[in-house]
Amino acid sequence: MSKEETEKARVLAEKSTLLAQLGASIYHQYRIGQLYSDELKGYATRIQKLDTVLHKLNESGESTTTCTCGTTVNEADIYCPSCGQALTFLQLNRQDETCKQCDTPLLQDATFCHVCGKRNREEAT
């Protein structure tokens, strides 16, 4: 590869990095409600839908944790198959409220959705 081709590849790589950072910044502005361009909102909405799909796909694999007795249990389990203990501690991090944007169950005391980033309640003042 010639010096000119090497420099061109370096400049293109730097441009790609900057475009990715720009996109991430714009998406963050969308998530916090500070994006006003309809075109950019359209892209951000599509990305947000993909984030929701990815989150659901990640949840579809059985998540596991450990019971207090040391047995590995699925987070969907209600009772430990080894000691019979009710696994209520697994449900304590969830609440009945769902995200206004993507309908994901919110984590306890969450101001923002952990999937799409939408603000779901005002901060206490």
Side-chain angles (χ1 to χ4, degrees):
M1 188 180 275
S2 73
K3 272 183 136 180
E4 188 176 286
E5 290 172 326
T6 302
E7 180 63 9
K8 184 178 178 181
R10 185 196 66 76
V11 170
L12 284 172
E14 184 176 347
K15 181 181 177 183
S16 292
T17 299
L18 290 172
L19 286 170
Q21 290 171 346
L22 175 64
S25 177
I26 290 169
Y27 185 51
H28 174 73
Q29 289 176 19
Y30 168 76
R31 289 176 48 174
I32 63 173
Q34 295 180 352
L35 188 64
Y36 304 105
S37 163
D38 288 338
E39 180 184 11
L40 295 176
K41 284 181 183 178
Y43 287 118
T45 300
R46 289 168 51 195
I47 292 169
Q48 187 176 41
K49 287 178 183 176
L50 293 173
D51 282 348
T52 301
V53 169
L54 285 171
H55 179 73
K56 287 180 181 175
L57 289 171
N58 286 336
E59 278 191 338
S60 67
E62 291 191 7
S63 298
T64 59
T65 191
T66 305
C67 176
T68 54
C69 73
T71 302
T72 300
V73 294
N74 292 326
E75 289 188 6
D77 290 344
I78 297 172
Y79 297 98
C80 174
S82 182
C83 72
Q85 174 181 313
L87 301 174
T88 54
F89 67 92
L90 294 178
Q91 305 306 318
L92 292 177
N93 67 335
R94 301 275 180 195
Q95 58 188 15
D96 293 332
E97 187 179 352
T98 59
C99 176
K100 299 170 189 171
Q101 179 83 20
C102 69
D103 207 33
T104 299
L106 294 172
L107 296 176
Q108 190 69 30
D109 299 323
T111 299
F112 295 90
C113 175
H114 62 284
V115 174
C116 71
K118 172 80 174 165
R119 179 184 291 274
N120 280 276
R121 69 170 55 100
E122 295 301 317
E123 295 179 66
T125 56

Coordinates of all heavy atoms in Angstrom, one line a residue, residues 51-116:
D51 N -33.2 -1.1 19.7 CA -32.7 -1.3 21.1 C -33.7 -2.2 21.9 O -33.4 -3.1 22.6 CB -32.6 0.0 21.8 CG -31.3 0.7 21.5 OD1 -30.4 0.1 20.8 OD2 -31.2 1.9 21.8
T52 N -35.0 -1.9 21.7 CA -36.1 -2.7 22.3 C -36.0 -4.1 21.9 O -36.1 -5.0 22.7 CB -37.5 -2.1 22.1 OG1 -37.4 -0.7 22.5 CG2 -38.6 -2.8 22.8
V53 N -35.9 -4.4 20.6 CA -35.8 -5.8 20.1 C -34.6 -6.5 20.7 O -34.7 -7.6 21.1 CB -35.8 -5.8 18.6 CG1 -35.5 -7.2 18.0 CG2 -37.1 -5.3 18.0
L54 N -33.5 -5.8 20.7 CA -32.3 -6.4 21.2 C -32.4 -6.7 22.7 O -32.0 -7.8 23.2 CB -31.1 -5.5 21.1 CG -30.5 -5.4 19.7 CD1 -29.5 -4.2 19.6 CD2 -29.9 -6.7 19.2
H55 N -33.1 -5.8 23.5 CA -33.3 -6.1 24.9 C -34.2 -7.3 25.1 O -33.9 -8.2 25.9 CB -33.9 -4.9 25.5 CG -34.2 -5.1 27.0 ND1 -33.2 -5.1 27.9 CD2 -35.4 -5.3 27.7 CE1 -33.7 -5.3 29.1 NE2 -35.0 -5.4 29.0
K56 N -35.2 -7.4 24.3 CA -36.1 -8.6 24.4 C -35.4 -9.9 24.0 O -35.6 -10.9 24.6 CB -37.4 -8.4 23.6 CG -38.3 -7.3 24.2 CD -39.5 -7.1 23.4 CE -40.4 -6.1 24.1 NZ -41.5 -5.7 23.4
L57 N -34.5 -9.8 23.0 CA -33.8 -11.0 22.6 C -32.8 -11.4 23.7 O -32.6 -12.6 24.0 CB -33.0 -10.7 21.3 CG -33.9 -10.6 20.1 CD1 -33.0 -10.1 18.9 CD2 -34.5 -12.0 19.7
N58 N -32.2 -10.4 24.4 CA -31.3 -10.7 25.5 C -32.1 -11.3 26.7 O -31.5 -12.2 27.3 CB -30.5 -9.4 25.9 CG -29.5 -9.0 25.0 OD1 -29.0 -9.8 24.2 ND2 -29.1 -7.8 25.0
E59 N -33.3 -10.8 26.9 CA -34.1 -11.4 28.0 C -34.6 -12.8 27.7 O -34.9 -13.5 28.6 CB -35.3 -10.5 28.3 CG -34.9 -9.3 29.2 CD -36.1 -8.6 29.7 OE1 -37.2 -8.7 29.1 OE2 -36.0 -7.9 30.7
S60 N -34.7 -13.1 26.4 CA -35.3 -14.4 26.0 C -34.4 -15.5 26.4 O -34.8 -16.6 26.6 CB -35.6 -14.5 24.5 OG -34.4 -14.4 23.8
G61 N -33.1 -15.3 26.5 CA -32.1 -16.3 27.0 C -32.4 -16.3 28.5 O -32.7 -15.3 29.1
E62 N -32.3 -17.5 29.1 CA -32.7 -17.6 30.5 C -31.6 -16.9 31.3 O -30.4 -17.4 31.4 CB -32.9 -19.0 30.9 CG -34.1 -19.6 30.3 CD -34.5 -20.9 30.9 OE1 -33.9 -21.4 31.9 OE2 -35.4 -21.6 30.3
S63 N -31.9 -15.8 32.0 CA -31.0 -15.2 32.9 C -31.0 -16.0 34.2 O -32.0 -16.4 34.7 CB -31.5 -13.8 33.2 OG -31.5 -13.0 32.0
T64 N -29.8 -16.1 34.8 CA -29.7 -16.8 36.0 C -29.0 -16.0 37.1 O -28.4 -15.0 36.8 CB -28.8 -18.1 35.8 OG1 -27.5 -17.7 35.4 CG2 -29.5 -19.1 34.8
T65 N -29.3 -16.3 38.3 CA -28.7 -15.7 39.5 C -28.5 -16.8 40.5 O -28.8 -18.0 40.2 CB -29.6 -14.5 40.0 OG1 -28.8 -13.8 40.9 CG2 -30.9 -15.0 40.5
T66 N -28.2 -16.4 41.7 CA -27.9 -17.4 42.7 C -28.9 -17.2 43.9 O -29.0 -16.1 44.4 CB -26.5 -17.4 43.2 OG1 -25.6 -17.5 42.1 CG2 -26.2 -18.5 44.2
C67 N -29.5 -18.3 44.3 CA -30.3 -18.2 45.5 C -29.4 -18.1 46.7 O -28.2 -18.3 46.7 CB -31.1 -19.5 45.6 SG -32.1 -19.6 47.1
T68 N -30.0 -17.7 47.9 CA -29.2 -17.5 49.1 C -28.6 -18.8 49.5 O -27.6 -18.8 50.2 CB -30.0 -16.9 50.2 OG1 -31.2 -17.7 50.4 CG2 -30.4 -15.5 49.9
C69 N -29.1 -20.0 49.1 CA -28.6 -21.3 49.5 C -27.4 -21.7 48.5 O -26.8 -22.7 48.8 CB -29.6 -22.4 49.4 SG -30.2 -22.9 47.8
G70 N -27.2 -20.9 47.5 CA -26.1 -21.1 46.6 C -26.5 -21.8 45.3 O -25.6 -22.0 44.4
T71 N -27.7 -22.2 45.1 CA -28.2 -22.8 43.9 C -28.4 -21.8 42.8 O -29.0 -20.8 43.1 CB -29.5 -23.6 44.2 OG1 -29.3 -24.5 45.3 CG2 -30.1 -24.3 43.0
T72 N -28.0 -22.2 41.6 CA -28.3 -21.3 40.5 C -29.7 -21.5 40.1 O -30.2 -22.6 39.9 CB -27.4 -21.7 39.3 OG1 -26.0 -21.5 39.7 CG2 -27.6 -20.8 38.1
V73 N -30.4 -20.3 39.9 CA -31.8 -20.3 39.6 C -32.1 -19.4 38.4 O -31.3 -18.5 38.2 CB -32.7 -19.9 40.8 CG1 -32.7 -20.9 41.9 CG2 -32.4 -18.5 41.3
N74 N -33.1 -19.6 37.7 CA -33.5 -18.7 36.6 C -34.2 -17.5 37.2 O -35.0 -17.7 38.2 CB -34.5 -19.4 35.6 CG -33.7 -20.4 34.8 OD1 -32.6 -20.3 34.5 ND2 -34.4 -21.5 34.5
E75 N -34.0 -16.3 36.7 CA -34.7 -15.1 37.2 C -36.2 -15.2 37.1 O -36.9 -14.5 37.8 CB -34.1 -13.9 36.6 CG -32.7 -13.6 37.1 CD -32.1 -12.3 36.6 OE1 -32.9 -11.5 36.0 OE2 -31.0 -12.0 36.9
A76 N -36.7 -16.1 36.3 CA -38.2 -16.2 36.1 C -38.7 -17.1 37.2 O -40.0 -17.2 37.4 CB -38.5 -16.7 34.7
D77 N -37.9 -17.9 37.9 CA -38.4 -18.8 38.9 C -39.0 -18.1 40.1 O -38.6 -17.0 40.4 CB -37.2 -19.7 39.5 CG -36.7 -20.7 38.4 OD1 -37.4 -20.9 37.4 OD2 -35.5 -21.2 38.6
I78 N -40.0 -18.7 40.7 CA -40.7 -18.2 41.9 C -40.1 -18.8 43.1 O -40.0 -18.1 44.1 CB -42.2 -18.4 41.8 CG1 -42.7 -17.6 40.5 CG2 -42.9 -17.9 43.0 CD1 -44.1 -17.9 40.2
Y79 N -39.7 -20.1 43.1 CA -39.2 -20.8 44.2 C -37.9 -21.4 43.8 O -37.7 -21.9 42.7 CB -40.1 -21.8 44.7 CG -41.4 -21.3 45.2 CD1 -42.6 -21.2 44.4 CD2 -41.5 -20.7 46.5 CE1 -43.7 -20.7 44.9 CE2 -42.7 -20.2 47.0 CZ -43.8 -20.2 46.2 OH -45.0 -19.6 46.6
C80 N -37.0 -21.6 44.8 CA -35.7 -22.3 44.5 C -36.0 -23.7 44.4 O -36.6 -24.3 45.3 CB -34.7 -22.0 45.7 SG -33.2 -22.9 45.5
P81 N -35.5 -24.4 43.4 CA -35.7 -25.9 43.3 C -34.9 -26.7 44.3 O -35.3 -27.9 44.5 CB -35.2 -26.2 41.8 CG -34.3 -25.1 41.5 CD -34.7 -23.9 42.3
S82 N -34.0 -26.1 44.9 CA -33.2 -26.8 45.9 C -33.7 -26.7 47.3 O -33.9 -27.7 48.0 CB -31.7 -26.4 45.8 OG -30.9 -27.1 46.7
C83 N -33.9 -25.4 47.8 CA -34.3 -25.2 49.2 C -35.7 -24.8 49.3 O -36.3 -24.8 50.5 CB -33.4 -24.2 49.8 SG -33.7 -22.5 49.3
G84 N -36.4 -24.5 48.2 CA -37.8 -24.1 48.3 C -38.1 -22.7 48.7 O -39.3 -22.3 48.8
Q85 N -37.1 -21.9 48.9 CA -37.3 -20.5 49.3 C -38.0 -19.7 48.2 O -37.7 -19.9 47.1 CB -35.9 -19.9 49.6 CG -36.0 -18.4 49.9 CD -34.6 -17.8 50.2 OE1 -33.8 -18.4 50.9 NE2 -34.3 -16.7 49.5
A86 N -38.9 -18.9 48.6 CA -39.5 -18.0 47.7 C -38.5 -17.0 47.2 O -37.7 -16.4 48.0 CB -40.7 -17.2 48.3
L87 N -38.4 -16.8 45.9 CA -37.3 -16.0 45.3 C -37.8 -14.5 45.1 O -37.6 -13.9 44.1 CB -36.9 -16.6 44.0 CG -36.3 -18.0 44.1 CD1 -36.0 -18.6 42.8 CD2 -35.0 -18.0 45.0
T88 N -38.5 -14.0 46.1 CA -39.1 -12.7 46.0 C -38.0 -11.6 45.8 O -38.2 -10.6 45.2 CB -39.9 -12.3 47.3 OG1 -39.0 -12.5 48.4 CG2 -41.1 -13.2 47.4
F89 N -36.8 -11.9 46.3 CA -35.7 -10.9 46.1 C -35.4 -10.6 44.6 O -34.9 -9.6 44.2 CB -34.4 -11.3 46.8 CG -33.8 -12.5 46.3 CD1 -32.8 -12.4 45.3 CD2 -34.1 -13.8 46.7 CE1 -32.1 -13.6 44.8 CE2 -33.5 -14.9 46.2 CZ -32.5 -14.8 45.2
L90 N -35.8 -11.6 43.7 CA -35.6 -11.4 42.3 C -36.6 -10.4 41.7 O -36.3 -9.8 40.7 CB -35.7 -12.7 41.6 CG -34.6 -13.7 41.9 CD1 -34.9 -15.0 41.1 CD2 -33.2 -13.2 41.5
Q91 N -37.7 -10.3 42.3 CA -38.8 -9.4 41.8 C -38.7 -8.0 42.4 O -39.4 -7.1 41.9 CB -40.1 -10.0 42.1 CG -40.3 -11.4 41.6 CD -40.0 -11.6 40.1 OE1 -40.4 -10.7 39.3 NE2 -39.3 -12.6 39.7
L92 N -37.9 -7.8 43.4 CA -37.8 -6.5 44.1 C -37.3 -5.4 43.2 O -37.5 -4.2 43.5 CB -37.0 -6.6 45.4 CG -37.6 -7.5 46.5 CD1 -36.6 -7.5 47.7 CD2 -38.9 -6.9 46.9
N93 N -36.5 -5.8 42.2 CA -35.9 -4.7 41.4 C -36.9 -4.3 40.3 O -36.6 -3.4 39.5 CB -34.6 -5.2 40.8 CG -34.8 -6.3 39.8 OD1 -35.7 -7.0 39.8 ND2 -33.9 -6.4 38.8
R94 N -38.1 -4.8 40.2 CA -39.1 -4.5 39.2 C -40.2 -3.8 39.9 O -40.5 -3.9 41.1 CB -39.6 -5.7 38.5 CG -38.5 -6.5 37.8 CD -38.3 -6.0 36.4 NE -37.3 -6.8 35.8 CZ -36.6 -6.4 34.7 NH1 -36.9 -5.2 34.1 NH2 -35.7 -7.1 34.1
Q95 N -41.0 -3.1 39.1 CA -42.2 -2.4 39.6 C -43.3 -2.7 38.6 O -43.1 -3.1 37.5 CB -42.0 -1.0 39.9 CG -41.5 -0.1 38.7 CD -41.1 1.3 39.1 OE1 -41.0 1.6 40.3 NE2 -41.0 2.2 38.2
D96 N -44.5 -2.4 39.0 CA -45.7 -2.6 38.1 C -45.7 -1.6 36.9 O -46.4 -1.9 35.9 CB -47.0 -2.6 38.9 CG -47.1 -3.7 39.9 OD1 -46.5 -4.8 39.6 OD2 -47.7 -3.5 40.9
E97 N -45.1 -0.5 37.1 CA -45.1 0.5 36.0 C -44.3 0.1 34.8 O -43.2 -0.5 34.9 CB -44.5 1.8 36.6 CG -44.7 3.0 35.8 CD -44.1 4.3 36.4 OE1 -43.8 4.2 37.6 OE2 -44.1 5.3 35.7
T98 N -44.8 0.5 33.6 CA -44.0 0.2 32.4 C -43.7 1.5 31.7 O -44.3 2.5 32.0 CB -44.8 -0.7 31.4 OG1 -46.0 0.0 31.1 CG2 -45.1 -2.0 32.0
C99 N -42.7 1.4 30.9 CA -42.2 2.6 30.2 C -43.3 3.2 29.2 O -44.0 2.4 28.6 CB -41.0 2.3 29.3 SG -40.3 3.6 28.3
K100 N -43.4 4.5 29.2 CA -44.4 5.2 28.4 C -44.1 5.0 26.9 O -44.9 5.1 26.1 CB -44.5 6.6 28.8 CG -44.9 6.9 30.2 CD -44.7 8.4 30.6 CE -44.9 8.5 32.1 NZ -44.6 9.9 32.5
Q101 N -42.8 4.8 26.6 CA -42.3 4.8 25.2 C -42.3 3.3 24.7 O -42.8 3.1 23.6 CB -40.9 5.3 25.1 CG -40.3 5.3 23.8 CD -40.7 6.5 22.9 OE1 -41.2 7.5 23.5 NE2 -40.6 6.4 21.6
C102 N -41.7 2.4 25.4 CA -41.5 1.1 24.8 C -42.2 -0.1 25.6 O -42.1 -1.2 25.2 CB -40.0 0.7 24.7 SG -39.2 0.5 26.3
D103 N -42.9 0.3 26.6 CA -43.7 -0.7 27.4 C -42.9 -1.7 28.2 O -43.4 -2.8 28.5 CB -44.8 -1.3 26.5 CG -46.0 -1.8 27.2 OD1 -46.4 -1.1 28.2 OD2 -46.6 -2.8 26.9
T104 N -41.6 -1.5 28.4 CA -40.8 -2.4 29.2 C -41.1 -2.2 30.7 O -41.2 -1.0 31.1 CB -39.3 -2.1 28.9 OG1 -39.1 -2.3 27.5 CG2 -38.4 -3.0 29.7
P105 N -41.2 -3.2 31.5 CA -41.3 -3.0 32.9 C -40.1 -2.3 33.5 O -39.0 -2.6 33.1 CB -41.4 -4.5 33.5 CG -41.8 -5.3 32.3 CD -41.2 -4.6 31.1
L106 N -40.4 -1.2 34.2 CA -39.3 -0.3 34.7 C -38.7 -0.9 36.0 O -39.3 -1.6 36.7 CB -39.9 1.0 35.1 CG -40.4 1.8 33.9 CD1 -41.1 3.1 34.3 CD2 -39.3 2.2 32.9
L107 N -37.4 -0.6 36.1 CA -36.7 -1.0 37.4 C -37.2 -0.1 38.5 O -37.7 1.0 38.3 CB -35.2 -0.8 37.2 CG -34.6 -1.7 36.1 CD1 -33.1 -1.4 36.0 CD2 -34.8 -3.2 36.5
Q108 N -37.1 -0.6 39.7 CA -37.5 0.1 40.9 C -36.9 1.5 41.0 O -35.7 1.6 40.8 CB -37.2 -0.7 42.1 CG -37.8 -0.2 43.4 CD -39.3 -0.4 43.4 OE1 -39.8 -1.4 42.9 NE2 -40.0 0.4 44.1
D109 N -37.7 2.5 41.2 CA -37.3 3.9 41.4 C -36.6 4.4 40.2 O -35.8 5.4 40.3 CB -36.4 4.0 42.6 CG -37.1 3.6 43.9 OD1 -38.3 3.9 44.0 OD2 -36.4 3.0 44.8
A110 N -36.8 3.9 39.0 CA -36.2 4.4 37.8 C -36.8 5.7 37.3 O -38.0 5.8 37.2 CB -36.3 3.3 36.6
T111 N -36.0 6.6 37.0 CA -36.4 7.9 36.4 C -36.5 7.7 34.9 O -37.4 8.2 34.2 CB -35.5 9.0 36.7 OG1 -35.5 9.2 38.2 CG2 -36.0 10.3 36.1
F112 N -35.5 7.0 34.3 CA -35.4 6.7 32.9 C -35.5 5.2 32.6 O -35.2 4.4 33.5 CB -34.0 7.1 32.4 CG -33.8 8.6 32.4 CD1 -33.2 9.2 33.5 CD2 -34.2 9.4 31.4 CE1 -33.0 10.6 33.6 CE2 -34.0 10.8 31.5 CZ -33.4 11.4 32.6
C113 N -36.1 4.8 31.5 CA -36.2 3.4 31.1 C -34.8 2.9 30.8 O -34.0 3.5 30.1 CB -37.1 3.3 29.8 SG -37.2 1.7 29.2
H114 N -34.5 1.7 31.3 CA -33.2 1.0 31.1 C -33.1 0.5 29.7 O -32.0 0.0 29.3 CB -33.0 0.0 32.1 CG -33.9 -1.2 32.1 ND1 -35.2 -1.0 32.6 CD2 -33.8 -2.4 31.6 CE1 -35.8 -2.2 32.4 NE2 -35.0 -3.0 31.8
V115 N -34.1 0.5 28.9 CA -34.1 0.0 27.5 C -34.0 1.1 26.5 O -33.0 1.2 25.7 CB -35.3 -0.9 27.2 CG1 -35.3 -1.3 25.7 CG2 -35.3 -2.2 28.1
C116 N -34.9 2.0 26.6 CA -35.0 3.1 25.5 C -34.5 4.4 26.0 O -34.3 5.3 25.2 CB -36.4 3.2 25.0 SG -37.6 3.9 26.1

